[in-house]
């Protein structure tokens, strides 16, 4: 059998080291499973990695929670509009809706696949209050253009950094340009804690509010209530949520953070190998990283144009699956989902770049856990399928 794999190559399988396993066991033995000292350390160390002061980081239990709380902290009112990209995960748009605002989509640039600043400008109305750019696949958005637009129109800026922990734009970390940056530690992301997220913010009062809202709206660090400092009374000062990260999850994150750079190097190497191996195929390959920026290499996405490739994207995914290669789709454009079409009357054709990318895109495995043989299997399978 030529090129056949026995084991299915799971898309986005995380790389878990012995250090994480030992730390989780230690948490279990300590019997402090909830929010506690390891979360506090994880916040400090994550902030240091992103080059911001420790009090600017607040851990939560998902990026969805981070986006929701950040948008709540923007104090939006019904009818207020928030501009985002149609080429994103549904959580970006859901968070805008749950924060009480109306999402407005601006199309992406066909090459960078990030929000096109000109399309953002064109989508601004007197009701626009905030922008939520997504650093797609880990490639930074044009932060000079977006921060200029935000400043000129008095808009809040909330960066969706779910793909972008290692992303830098002219030396500065993604997630530190605007009012808030929201990160994901979901199982397929560059740093995993099972479920988890982080908010970086610049306004101390807003960060206090986000910490409070993440824990029922209680007035002080409620996790200290059960510590050896003695019982502390708390007051609920605002109706909040249950969005706190656990020490069990932070235990994994602390060691993932230590290997973040090594894992980034590994993904960069795999990304380059794919670029070289697929150069002669009829696929559209991802754009090379821009100079003076750092791409996080979270996703490796190719476009399968049926006219050039002689097969549809879904046939391509199916053929890879038959060869036991797991794939992903990032993303079917947001207005293709019935929920948003029905609610906002959106027609996918109104955002043609996102529509076309969403129908042609395929994500190949790009995890630091891939061995050289796995990468060779992916390359062989893609070349065979298209050859
Ligand atoms: C994964 C992801 C999210 C949601 O992250 P969770 O931690 O799973 O809530 C939001 N936005 C984008 C672009 C994502 O890829």
């Amino acid at each position: 059998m030529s090129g056949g794999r026995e084991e299915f190559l799971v898309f986005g399988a995380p790389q878990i080291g012995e250090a994480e396993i030992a730390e989780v066991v230690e948490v279990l033995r300590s019997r402090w499973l909830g929010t506690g000292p390891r979360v506090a350390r994880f916040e400090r160390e994550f902030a240091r990695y992103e080059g911001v002061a420790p009090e600017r980081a607040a851990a939560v239990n998902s990026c969805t929670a981070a986006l929701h709380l950040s948008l709540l902290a923007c104090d939006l009112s019904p009818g207020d509009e928030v501009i985002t990209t149609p080429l994103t995960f549904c959580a970006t748009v859901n968070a805008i809706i749950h924060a009480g605002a109306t999402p407005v989509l601006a199309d992406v640039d066909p090459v960078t696949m990030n929000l096109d600043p000109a399309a953002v400008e064109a989508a601004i109305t007197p009701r626009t209050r905030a922008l939520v750019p997504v650093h797609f696949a880990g490639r930074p958005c044009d932060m000079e253009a977006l921060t200029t637009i935000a400043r000129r129109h008095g808009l809040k800026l909330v960066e969706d950094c779910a793909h972008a922990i290692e992303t830098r734009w002219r030396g500065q970390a993604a997630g530190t340009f605007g009012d808030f940056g929201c990160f994901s530690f979901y199982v397929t992301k560059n740093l995993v804690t099972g479920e988890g997220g982080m908010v970086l913010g610049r306004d101390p009062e807003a960060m206090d509010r986000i910490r409070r809202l993440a824990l029922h709206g209680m007035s002080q660090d409620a996790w200290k209530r059960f510590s050896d400092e003695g019982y502390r009374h708390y007051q609920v000062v605002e109706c909040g949520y249950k969005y706190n990260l656990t020490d069990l999850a932070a235990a994994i994150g602390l060691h993932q953070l230590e290997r973040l750079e090594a894992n980034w190097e590994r993904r960069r190497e795999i990304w380059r190998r794919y670029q070289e191996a697929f150069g002669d195929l009829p696929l559209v390959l991802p754009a090379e990283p821009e100079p003076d920026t750092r791409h996080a290499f979270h996703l490796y996405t190719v476009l399968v144009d049926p006219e050039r490739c002689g097969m549809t994207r879904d046939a391509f995914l199916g053929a890879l699956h038959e060869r036991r290669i797991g794939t992903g789709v990032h993303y079917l454009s947001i207005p293709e989902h019935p929920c948003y079409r029905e609610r906002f009357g959106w027609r996918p054709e109104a955002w043609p770049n996102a529509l076309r990318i969403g129908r042609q895109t395929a994500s190949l495995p790009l995890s630091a856990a891939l061995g050289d043989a796995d990468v060779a299997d992916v390359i062989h399978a893609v070349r065979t399928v298209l050859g």
Side-chain angles (χ1 to χ4, degrees), residues 62-64 67 88-89 91-92 134 160 162-163 184 186 189 196 331:
S62 71
C63 181
T64 306
L67 288 164
T88 187
F89 186 55
T92 316
V134 176
D160 182 334
H163 303 175
S184 175
Y186 177 65
K189 300 292 161 68
Y331 299 92

Side-chain angles (χ1 to χ4, degrees), residues 61-67 87-92 134-136 160-163 182-189 194-197 298-299 330-331:
N61 59 13
S62 71
C63 181
T64 306
L67 288 164
L87 194 67
T88 187
F89 186 55
C90 59
T92 316
V134 176
H135 302 286
F136 182 81
D160 182 334
C161 300
H163 303 175
C182 302
F183 296 83
S184 175
F185 310 131
Y186 177 65
V187 292
T188 59
K189 300 292 161 68
E195 297 283 1
H298 173 58
L299 297 173
H330 302 88
Y331 299 92

Side-chain angles (χ1 to χ4, degrees), residues 193-210:
T193 63
E195 297 283 1
M198 189 78 74
V199 181
L200 297 185
R202 57 176 71 250
D203 176 38
E205 275 179 36
M207 291 310 288
D208 283 347
R209 180 149 181 243
I210 281 175

Side-chain angles (χ1 to χ4, degrees), residues 81-84 104-107 115-128 131 155 351:
E81 295 173 357
V82 177
I83 298 175
T84 192
V104 171
L105 303 177
D107 208 355
L115 266 181
D116 173 2
V120 171
E121 286 267 19
I124 290 175
T125 76
R127 299 305 311 260
T128 308
L131 304 181
L155 309 177
W351 299 273

Side-chain angles (χ1 to χ4, degrees), residues 141-383:
C141 294
D142 181 344
M143 293 317 291
E144 181 165 276
L146 293 179
T147 51
T148 302
I149 292 171
R151 208 176 309 117
R152 195 181 318 126
H153 296 272
L155 309 177
K156 297 280 187 182
L157 185 56
V158 178
E159 298 173 66
D160 182 334
C161 300
H163 303 175
I165 296 173
E166 306 92 336
T167 299
R168 300 288 182 274
W169 195 80
R170 300 189 186 162
Q172 188 179 337
T176 68
F177 286 87
D179 299 276
F180 303 102
C182 302
F183 296 83
S184 175
F185 310 131
Y186 177 65
V187 292
T188 59
K189 300 292 161 68
N190 293 352
L191 183 162
V192 308
T193 63
E195 297 283 1
M198 189 78 74
V199 181
L200 297 185
R202 57 176 71 250
D203 176 38
E205 275 179 36
M207 291 310 288
D208 283 347
R209 180 149 181 243
I210 281 175
R211 286 193 188 90
R212 200 162 59 228
L213 284 172
L215 205 55
H216 308 293
M218 288 175 175
S219 60
Q220 50 178 304
D221 281 356
W223 63 271
K224 288 187 182 155
R225 280 187 293 141
F226 305 108
S227 72
D228 55 10
E229 294 171 32
Y231 186 83
R232 297 186 183 194
H233 287 288
Y234 61 87
Q235 288 190 307
V236 178
V237 293
E238 188 174 8
C239 173
Y241 301 86
K242 186 66 166 69
Y243 282 168
N244 55 307
L245 191 72
T246 65
D247 265 26
L248 211 45
I252 305 171
L254 284 167
H255 295 282
Q256 291 269 304
L257 199 49
E258 286 168 2
R259 280 201 322 281
L260 199 60
E261 286 300 295
N263 286 351
W264 176 82
E265 294 279 1
R266 176 63 180 154
R267 292 195 312 276
R268 179 172 66 162
E269 192 185 318
I270 297 168
W271 208 88
R272 283 188 177 157
R273 250 187 246 180
Y274 287 159
Q275 289 289 77
E276 283 165 19
F278 302 144
D280 61 330
L281 297 180
L283 297 169
V284 178
L285 303 184
E288 283 297 322
E290 218 182 321
D292 202 16
T293 69
R294 191 178 205 229
H295 196 303
F297 303 116
H298 173 58
L299 297 173
Y300 185 84
T301 67
V302 296
L303 298 183
V304 184
D305 179 346
E307 287 183 11
R308 290 177 56 182
C309 296
M311 65 169 62
T312 64
R313 185 269 311 276
D314 288 352
F316 178 74
L317 297 181
L320 288 178
H321 185 262
E322 266 175 32
R323 285 161 183 75
R324 310 192 64 65
I325 306 293
T327 51
V329 170
H330 302 88
Y331 299 92
L332 197 62
S333 85
I334 286 288
E336 296 250 50
H337 296 285
C339 159
Y340 310 110
R341 271 208 313 272
E342 283 158 23
R343 185 157 177 167
F344 302 109
W346 289 342
R347 289 171 31 260
E349 295 74 22
W351 299 273
N353 295 333
L355 176 66
R356 184 179 50 80
I357 293 166
R359 289 182 179 177
Q360 296 186 353
T361 190
S363 301
L364 300 178
L366 183 68
S367 159
L370 298 181
D372 287 343
D374 297 322
V375 175
D377 284 347
V378 174
I379 291 171
H380 180 76
V382 169
R383 295 194 63 85

